[in-house]
Amino acid sequence: MTKKERARLVIDVLAECYPDVKCALNYEKPHELLIATRLSAQCTDKRVNLVTPALFARFPDVDSFAAAEPDEVEEYIRSCGLYKTKAVDIVMMCRMIRDEFDGRVPDTIEQLVKLPGVGRKTANLIVGDLYGKPALVCDTHVIRVSGRIGLTDGTKDAFKVEKQLSAVIPPKDGLMLCHRLVWHGRLVCGARAPQCGECRLGAYCKFFSSCKK
């Protein structure tokens, strides 16, 4: 079986398992997804979703974030961890969006990664979820699960995972596959205690045979 054939089977199985998944972060405006994703670094999506309603009520648009000082933002995001660095990034990214992109969140990875605190994972999520472009969002779950099921060589380097997945995943399937891999990683294929007995990807998983079912 080639990796492309394996990928097609994995795409189909996960589509059956998780037909209606979407990004777990709550947002209504484009800049809100960008900010929520920055907050999610080393923090759970659940925690971010508890924090952002008050944050977005206090700073309702890009201009209000851009006009703020980081210590004002800090007060709303303390529980997200690394809050001082995140507050600076949020303010500075919004100033850059205001001053260099006419207040609109950029729609290309090349432009997005110029924003403070934005890496390829965040940039892929934005272009995929906001603008409907082909994207591969390689977070820790995607990296782990794709390595276990043989879509990548097991590298932990997010950029290498993105490149390896792009070689075997049709562009139209990339974003939803990544969303589904995230949910599968959370619900079934955990880092420390994978639920192999509940996994429908066992036939493609090199970890499966040694797992305690």
Side-chain angles (χ1 to χ4, degrees), residues 2 6 10 14 16 20 24 27 29 55 65 74-77 82 93 99 101 124 128 167 173 176 186 196-197 207 209:
T2 68
R6 181 186 296 266
V10 168
L14 290 180
E16 292 177 4
D20 300 316
Y27 68 97
K29 304 172 185 176
L55 176 68
F65 273 110
E74 286 177 16
E75 296 304 312
Y76 292 86
I77 65 172
L82 303 174
M93 72 169 62
D99 298 339
F101 297 103
N124 269 283
D173 295 317
M176 287 306 298
R186 287 174 175 162
C196 296
F207 189 80
S209 60

mmCIF file of all heavy atoms in Angstrom, residues 2 6 10 14 16 20 24 27 29 55 65 74-77 82 93 99 101 124 128 167 173 176 186 196-197 207 209:
data_model
loop_
_atom_site.group_PDB
_atom_site.id
_atom_site.type_symbol
_atom_site.label_atom_id
_atom_site.label_comp_id
_atom_site.label_asym_id
_atom_site.label_seq_id
_atom_site.Cartn_x
_atom_site.Cartn_y
_atom_site.Cartn_z
ATOM 1 N N THR A 2 0.636 2.142 -0.933
ATOM 2 C CA THR A 2 1.381 3.394 -0.958
ATOM 3 C C THR A 2 0.848 4.350 0.109
ATOM 4 O O THR A 2 -0.259 4.161 0.637
ATOM 5 C CB THR A 2 1.262 4.072 -2.328
ATOM 6 O OG1 THR A 2 -0.094 4.509 -2.517
ATOM 7 C CG2 THR A 2 1.661 3.120 -3.449
ATOM 8 N N ARG A 6 -2.921 4.786 1.531
ATOM 9 C CA ARG A 6 -3.181 4.795 2.977
ATOM 10 C C ARG A 6 -3.912 6.073 3.377
ATOM 11 O O ARG A 6 -4.872 6.052 4.152
ATOM 12 C CB ARG A 6 -1.856 4.673 3.732
ATOM 13 C CG ARG A 6 -1.998 4.657 5.251
ATOM 14 C CD ARG A 6 -0.606 4.676 5.892
ATOM 15 N NE ARG A 6 0.128 3.463 5.557
ATOM 16 C CZ ARG A 6 0.171 2.372 6.314
ATOM 17 N NH1 ARG A 6 -0.477 2.362 7.479
ATOM 18 N NH2 ARG A 6 0.859 1.316 5.945
ATOM 19 N N VAL A 10 -7.529 6.532 5.291
ATOM 20 C CA VAL A 10 -7.618 7.264 6.556
ATOM 21 C C VAL A 10 -8.612 8.412 6.439
ATOM 22 O O VAL A 10 -9.440 8.643 7.337
ATOM 23 C CB VAL A 10 -6.230 7.784 6.971
ATOM 24 C CG1 VAL A 10 -6.347 8.784 8.126
ATOM 25 C CG2 VAL A 10 -5.328 6.620 7.363
ATOM 26 N N LEU A 14 -11.942 8.516 8.873
ATOM 27 C CA LEU A 14 -12.131 9.620 9.822
ATOM 28 C C LEU A 14 -13.343 10.472 9.461
ATOM 29 O O LEU A 14 -13.997 11.028 10.346
ATOM 30 C CB LEU A 14 -10.877 10.482 9.890
ATOM 31 C CG LEU A 14 -9.664 9.831 10.569
ATOM 32 C CD1 LEU A 14 -8.480 10.793 10.580
ATOM 33 C CD2 LEU A 14 -9.997 9.401 11.997
ATOM 34 N N GLU A 16 -16.095 9.282 8.360
ATOM 35 C CA GLU A 16 -17.221 8.548 8.936
ATOM 36 C C GLU A 16 -17.278 8.716 10.448
ATOM 37 O O GLU A 16 -18.366 8.824 11.031
ATOM 38 C CB GLU A 16 -17.107 7.062 8.594
ATOM 39 C CG GLU A 16 -17.290 6.742 7.118
ATOM 40 C CD GLU A 16 -17.101 5.255 6.827
ATOM 41 O OE1 GLU A 16 -16.909 4.488 7.795
ATOM 42 O OE2 GLU A 16 -17.155 4.874 5.650
ATOM 43 N N ASP A 20 -18.873 15.974 11.315
ATOM 44 C CA ASP A 20 -19.252 17.390 11.436
ATOM 45 C C ASP A 20 -18.272 18.217 12.273
ATOM 46 O O ASP A 20 -18.673 19.216 12.875
ATOM 47 C CB ASP A 20 -20.653 17.506 12.055
ATOM 48 C CG ASP A 20 -21.702 16.800 11.215
ATOM 49 O OD1 ASP A 20 -21.674 16.959 9.988
ATOM 50 O OD2 ASP A 20 -22.543 16.090 11.799
ATOM 51 N N ALA A 24 -12.312 24.022 17.260
ATOM 52 C CA ALA A 24 -12.903 24.015 18.599
ATOM 53 C C ALA A 24 -12.911 25.393 19.257
ATOM 54 O O ALA A 24 -13.520 25.572 20.314
ATOM 55 C CB ALA A 24 -12.155 23.029 19.491
ATOM 56 N N TYR A 27 -15.419 31.850 17.875
ATOM 57 C CA TYR A 27 -15.126 33.191 17.352
ATOM 58 C C TYR A 27 -16.267 33.634 16.451
ATOM 59 O O TYR A 27 -17.039 32.808 15.947
ATOM 60 C CB TYR A 27 -13.806 33.200 16.567
ATOM 61 C CG TYR A 27 -13.859 32.423 15.269
ATOM 62 C CD1 TYR A 27 -14.102 33.065 14.056
ATOM 63 C CD2 TYR A 27 -13.687 31.031 15.243
ATOM 64 C CE1 TYR A 27 -14.173 32.360 12.867
ATOM 65 C CE2 TYR A 27 -13.755 30.318 14.065
ATOM 66 C CZ TYR A 27 -13.993 30.991 12.877
ATOM 67 O OH TYR A 27 -14.064 30.283 11.701
ATOM 68 N N LYS A 29 -15.578 36.912 14.525
ATOM 69 C CA LYS A 29 -14.913 37.792 13.567
ATOM 70 C C LYS A 29 -13.534 37.224 13.223
ATOM 71 O O LYS A 29 -12.928 36.523 14.036
ATOM 72 C CB LYS A 29 -14.775 39.194 14.166
ATOM 73 C CG LYS A 29 -16.096 39.801 14.622
ATOM 74 C CD LYS A 29 -15.881 41.099 15.382
ATOM 75 C CE LYS A 29 -17.193 41.639 15.933
ATOM 76 N NZ LYS A 29 -16.986 42.860 16.761
ATOM 77 N N LEU A 55 -12.817 39.147 26.888
ATOM 78 C CA LEU A 55 -11.751 39.835 26.142
ATOM 79 C C LEU A 55 -12.318 40.522 24.911
ATOM 80 O O LEU A 55 -12.024 41.704 24.645
ATOM 81 C CB LEU A 55 -10.681 38.825 25.740
ATOM 82 C CG LEU A 55 -9.539 39.346 24.878
ATOM 83 C CD1 LEU A 55 -8.659 40.304 25.668
ATOM 84 C CD2 LEU A 55 -8.712 38.189 24.327
ATOM 85 N N PHE A 65 -8.001 46.693 19.914
ATOM 86 C CA PHE A 65 -6.825 45.949 20.350
ATOM 87 C C PHE A 65 -5.549 46.724 20.024
ATOM 88 O O PHE A 65 -4.616 46.786 20.827
ATOM 89 C CB PHE A 65 -6.769 44.579 19.668
ATOM 90 C CG PHE A 65 -7.530 43.496 20.380
ATOM 91 C CD1 PHE A 65 -8.688 42.970 19.836
ATOM 92 C CD2 PHE A 65 -7.070 42.988 21.587
ATOM 93 C CE1 PHE A 65 -9.393 41.962 20.492
ATOM 94 C CE2 PHE A 65 -7.764 41.976 22.254
ATOM 95 C CZ PHE A 65 -8.926 41.473 21.695
ATOM 96 N N GLU A 74 -3.472 41.885 29.276
ATOM 97 C CA GLU A 74 -3.025 40.870 30.238
ATOM 98 C C GLU A 74 -4.098 40.524 31.258
ATOM 99 O O GLU A 74 -4.252 39.358 31.647
ATOM 100 C CB GLU A 74 -1.785 41.361 30.995
ATOM 101 C CG GLU A 74 -0.507 41.354 30.197
ATOM 102 C CD GLU A 74 0.654 41.921 31.006
ATOM 103 O OE1 GLU A 74 0.519 42.018 32.259
ATOM 104 O OE2 GLU A 74 1.681 42.266 30.412
ATOM 105 N N GLU A 75 -4.832 41.515 31.712
ATOM 106 C CA GLU A 75 -5.812 41.305 32.775
ATOM 107 C C GLU A 75 -6.888 40.297 32.383
ATOM 108 O O GLU A 75 -7.484 39.655 33.241
ATOM 109 C CB GLU A 75 -6.459 42.641 33.146
ATOM 110 C CG GLU A 75 -5.487 43.651 33.737
ATOM 111 C CD GLU A 75 -4.763 43.089 34.954
ATOM 112 O OE1 GLU A 75 -5.446 42.516 35.833
ATOM 113 O OE2 GLU A 75 -3.525 43.203 35.014
ATOM 114 N N TYR A 76 -7.117 40.139 31.082
ATOM 115 C CA TYR A 76 -8.173 39.254 30.609
ATOM 116 C C TYR A 76 -7.673 37.852 30.250
ATOM 117 O O TYR A 76 -8.485 36.946 30.068
ATOM 118 C CB TYR A 76 -8.848 39.871 29.377
ATOM 119 C CG TYR A 76 -9.632 41.122 29.698
ATOM 120 C CD1 TYR A 76 -9.005 42.370 29.732
ATOM 121 C CD2 TYR A 76 -10.995 41.070 29.993
ATOM 122 C CE1 TYR A 76 -9.712 43.526 30.030
ATOM 123 C CE2 TYR A 76 -11.709 42.211 30.287
ATOM 124 C CZ TYR A 76 -11.059 43.434 30.312
ATOM 125 O OH TYR A 76 -11.759 44.575 30.621
ATOM 126 N N ILE A 77 -6.360 37.686 30.151
ATOM 127 C CA ILE A 77 -5.844 36.415 29.621
ATOM 128 C C ILE A 77 -4.870 35.724 30.578
ATOM 129 O O ILE A 77 -4.166 34.793 30.179
ATOM 130 C CB ILE A 77 -5.158 36.628 28.250
ATOM 131 C CG1 ILE A 77 -3.907 37.502 28.381
ATOM 132 C CG2 ILE A 77 -6.141 37.248 27.252
ATOM 133 C CD1 ILE A 77 -3.094 37.576 27.091
ATOM 134 N N LEU A 82 1.605 32.073 29.862
ATOM 135 C CA LEU A 82 2.462 32.923 29.029
ATOM 136 C C LEU A 82 1.748 34.218 28.645
ATOM 137 O O LEU A 82 1.911 34.748 27.542
ATOM 138 C CB LEU A 82 2.901 32.177 27.766
ATOM 139 C CG LEU A 82 3.642 30.852 27.975
ATOM 140 C CD1 LEU A 82 3.881 30.167 26.629
ATOM 141 C CD2 LEU A 82 4.968 31.074 28.681
ATOM 142 N N MET A 93 0.240 42.412 16.783
ATOM 143 C CA MET A 93 -0.317 41.864 15.543
ATOM 144 C C MET A 93 -1.487 42.723 15.059
ATOM 145 O O MET A 93 -1.651 42.961 13.852
ATOM 146 C CB MET A 93 -0.735 40.398 15.694
ATOM 147 C CG MET A 93 -1.957 40.140 16.523
ATOM 148 S SD MET A 93 -2.615 38.428 16.423
ATOM 149 C CE MET A 93 -1.271 37.462 17.063
ATOM 150 N N ASP A 99 -2.192 48.855 10.434
ATOM 151 C CA ASP A 99 -1.301 49.777 9.719
ATOM 152 C C ASP A 99 -0.843 49.256 8.358
ATOM 153 O O ASP A 99 -0.602 50.054 7.439
ATOM 154 C CB ASP A 99 -0.072 50.073 10.577
ATOM 155 C CG ASP A 99 -0.425 50.761 11.893
ATOM 156 O OD1 ASP A 99 -1.519 51.353 11.979
ATOM 157 O OD2 ASP A 99 0.393 50.689 12.827
ATOM 158 N N PHE A 101 -2.263 46.214 6.738
ATOM 159 C CA PHE A 101 -3.227 45.403 5.984
ATOM 160 C C PHE A 101 -4.625 46.010 6.001
ATOM 161 O O PHE A 101 -5.622 45.298 5.812
ATOM 162 C CB PHE A 101 -3.249 43.976 6.544
ATOM 163 C CG PHE A 101 -1.934 43.246 6.401
ATOM 164 C CD1 PHE A 101 -1.093 43.090 7.492
ATOM 165 C CD2 PHE A 101 -1.530 42.747 5.162
ATOM 166 C CE1 PHE A 101 0.127 42.430 7.371
ATOM 167 C CE2 PHE A 101 -0.323 42.084 5.031
ATOM 168 C CZ PHE A 101 0.515 41.925 6.130
ATOM 169 N N ASN A 124 -1.994 28.477 8.728
ATOM 170 C CA ASN A 124 -2.778 27.485 7.983
ATOM 171 C C ASN A 124 -4.219 27.451 8.455
ATOM 172 O O ASN A 124 -5.150 27.319 7.646
ATOM 173 C CB ASN A 124 -2.142 26.101 8.126
ATOM 174 C CG ASN A 124 -1.132 25.793 7.049
ATOM 175 O OD1 ASN A 124 -1.480 25.481 5.918
ATOM 176 N ND2 ASN A 124 0.148 25.891 7.391
ATOM 177 N N GLY A 128 -7.320 28.405 6.008
ATOM 178 C CA GLY A 128 -8.270 27.323 5.787
ATOM 179 C C GLY A 128 -9.655 27.635 6.301
ATOM 180 O O GLY A 128 -10.648 27.587 5.553
ATOM 181 N N ALA A 167 2.385 15.924 0.511
ATOM 182 C CA ALA A 167 2.780 15.041 -0.588
ATOM 183 C C ALA A 167 1.791 13.901 -0.809
ATOM 184 O O ALA A 167 1.776 13.292 -1.883
ATOM 185 C CB ALA A 167 4.176 14.475 -0.327
ATOM 186 N N ASP A 173 -8.738 18.039 0.823
ATOM 187 C CA ASP A 173 -9.033 17.250 2.019
ATOM 188 C C ASP A 173 -8.194 17.640 3.235
ATOM 189 O O ASP A 173 -8.464 17.180 4.346
ATOM 190 C CB ASP A 173 -8.782 15.754 1.732
ATOM 191 C CG ASP A 173 -9.735 15.190 0.695
ATOM 192 O OD1 ASP A 173 -10.933 15.508 0.765
ATOM 193 O OD2 ASP A 173 -9.273 14.447 -0.194
ATOM 194 N N MET A 176 -9.920 19.524 6.621
ATOM 195 C CA MET A 176 -10.843 18.681 7.383
ATOM 196 C C MET A 176 -10.138 17.456 7.952
ATOM 197 O O MET A 176 -10.465 17.009 9.059
ATOM 198 C CB MET A 176 -12.022 18.267 6.508
ATOM 199 C CG MET A 176 -13.003 19.393 6.227
ATOM 200 S SD MET A 176 -13.608 20.204 7.743
ATOM 201 C CE MET A 176 -14.424 18.837 8.563
ATOM 202 N N ARG A 186 -7.575 13.672 20.514
ATOM 203 C CA ARG A 186 -8.132 14.019 21.823
ATOM 204 C C ARG A 186 -8.987 12.902 22.407
ATOM 205 O O ARG A 186 -8.918 12.604 23.602
ATOM 206 C CB ARG A 186 -8.983 15.288 21.702
ATOM 207 C CG ARG A 186 -8.187 16.572 21.507
ATOM 208 C CD ARG A 186 -9.122 17.733 21.248
ATOM 209 N NE ARG A 186 -8.391 18.993 21.166
ATOM 210 C CZ ARG A 186 -8.875 20.099 20.628
ATOM 211 N NH1 ARG A 186 -10.103 20.095 20.119
ATOM 212 N NH2 ARG A 186 -8.161 21.212 20.596
ATOM 213 N N CYS A 196 -6.760 2.095 21.965
ATOM 214 C CA CYS A 196 -6.614 1.335 20.721
ATOM 215 C C CYS A 196 -7.804 0.427 20.446
ATOM 216 O O CYS A 196 -8.149 0.174 19.288
ATOM 217 C CB CYS A 196 -5.321 0.527 20.751
ATOM 218 S SG CYS A 196 -3.830 1.551 20.801
ATOM 219 N N GLY A 197 -8.440 -0.061 21.491
ATOM 220 C CA GLY A 197 -9.581 -0.933 21.296
ATOM 221 C C GLY A 197 -10.770 -0.235 20.677
ATOM 222 O O GLY A 197 -11.676 -0.887 20.147
ATOM 223 N N PHE A 207 1.550 1.502 15.865
ATOM 224 C CA PHE A 207 1.504 1.488 17.326
ATOM 225 C C PHE A 207 0.493 0.469 17.839
ATOM 226 O O PHE A 207 0.590 -0.016 18.955
ATOM 227 C CB PHE A 207 1.118 2.892 17.812
ATOM 228 C CG PHE A 207 1.223 3.106 19.298
ATOM 229 C CD1 PHE A 207 2.442 3.355 19.897
ATOM 230 C CD2 PHE A 207 0.092 3.077 20.088
ATOM 231 C CE1 PHE A 207 2.536 3.565 21.256
ATOM 232 C CE2 PHE A 207 0.170 3.291 21.448
ATOM 233 C CZ PHE A 207 1.406 3.533 22.031
ATOM 234 N N SER A 209 -0.329 -2.733 17.310
ATOM 235 C CA SER A 209 -0.016 -4.105 17.708
ATOM 236 C C SER A 209 0.596 -4.209 19.098
ATOM 237 O O SER A 209 0.449 -5.235 19.780
ATOM 238 C CB SER A 209 0.945 -4.734 16.693
ATOM 239 O OG SER A 209 2.148 -3.998 16.623
#
